[in-house]
């Protein structure tokens, strides 16, 4: 007997999505947002169904994301920003606490919070990952749509 597989279905996507965007290194965040919004639009989410909340730095992402997750208004929350090692002696704290905070929310809520924060050694590496061909904003948006679909299927109300 075949196993019963549950996979993301990206046909007929709908509902509201939130982006938590980081002002630090904003020129990188801006590029990630363009790719994320473009991807959501491609899969049927109109821009009017996307809210974008700006926070000062990646360290502040978990607080804003947890409030948005608790609101229950969003299919998923996409966090976008860049923490660049060369720019901060406390890289490991900022990047680590951001990732750990997002994990904590995901462990405590059914609203998926997607980690679209670049963690790179240099500005050049961040620019590469927020480019026209390779863009983490695209990946993050796909992950958001996929997790929203999966949660729709596995969360029993
Ligand atoms: N925040 C970032 O998002 N990226 C960085 O590269 C960065 N650097 O380099 O320091 C950064 N720092 C700010 C931090 O996220 C907080 O906003 C700040 O510490 C206030 O809590």
């Amino acid at each position: 007997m075949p196993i019963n597989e549950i996979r993301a279905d990206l046909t007929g996507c709908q509902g509201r999505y939130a982006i938590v965007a980081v002002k630090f290194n904003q020129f990188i965040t801006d590029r990630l947002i363009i790719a994320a919004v473009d991807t959501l639009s491609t899969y049927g989410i109109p821009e009017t169904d996307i809210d974008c909340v700006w926070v000062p730095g990646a360290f502040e992402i978990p607080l804003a994301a947890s409030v948005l997750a608790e609101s229950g208004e969003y299919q998923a929350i996409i966090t976008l920003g860049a923490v660049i090692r060369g720019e901060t002696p406390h890289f490991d704290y900022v990047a680590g606490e951001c990732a750990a905070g997002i994990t904590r929310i995901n462990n405590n809520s059914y609203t998926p919070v997607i980690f679209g924060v670049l963690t790179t050694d240099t500005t050049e590496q961040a620019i590469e990952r927020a480019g026209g061909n390779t863009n983490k904003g695209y990946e993050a948006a796909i992950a958001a749509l996929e997790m929203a679909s999966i949660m729709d299927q596995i969360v029993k109300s």
Side-chain angles (χ1 to χ4, degrees):
M1 263 233 308
I3 59 167
N4 182 35
E5 291 192 71
I6 294 165
R7 290 174 182 268
D9 174 8
L10 299 194
T11 56
C13 296
Q14 53 186 354
R16 299 190 71 78
Y17 284 77
I19 294 172
V20 180
V22 171
K23 283 194 327 194
F24 207 103
N25 295 316
Q26 191 181 331
F27 75 106
I28 299 287
T29 309
D30 287 339
R31 297 174 189 206
L32 298 172
I33 291 175
I34 289 169
V37 170
D38 192 51
T39 305
L40 292 176
S41 301
T42 300
Y43 285 89
I45 307 300
E47 291 188 12
T48 47
D49 285 351
I50 303 170
D51 295 330
C52 183
V53 177
W54 286 92
V55 295
F59 192 80
E60 283 73 37
I61 284 178
L63 177 58
S66 71
V67 172
L68 295 169
E70 275 173 28
S71 76
E73 288 189 24
Y74 299 100
Q75 298 295 114
I77 292 151
I78 301 166
T79 67
L80 298 174
V83 190
I84 300 172
R85 188 183 292 276
E87 290 180 10
T88 176
H90 58 302
F91 173 92
D92 293 319
Y93 295 104
V94 174
E97 287 307 319
C98 174
I102 289 172
T103 302
R104 252 191 318 275
I105 304 164
N106 280 320
N107 289 343
N108 288 296
S109 147
Y110 286 152
T111 303
V113 181
I114 305 303
F115 186 56
V117 179
L118 303 177
T119 54
T120 62
D121 288 331
T122 64
T123 303
E124 290 67 36
Q125 288 170 348
I127 291 169
E128 262 172 41
R129 290 162 176 72
N133 293 327
T134 306
N135 193 309
K136 185 88 179 167
Y138 161 79
E139 269 177 45
I142 293 288
L145 292 163
E146 290 190 338
M147 284 308 296
S149 167
I150 288 167
M151 296 305 281
D152 271 351
Q153 296 176 71
I154 65 174
V155 175
K156 307 295 174 202
S157 50

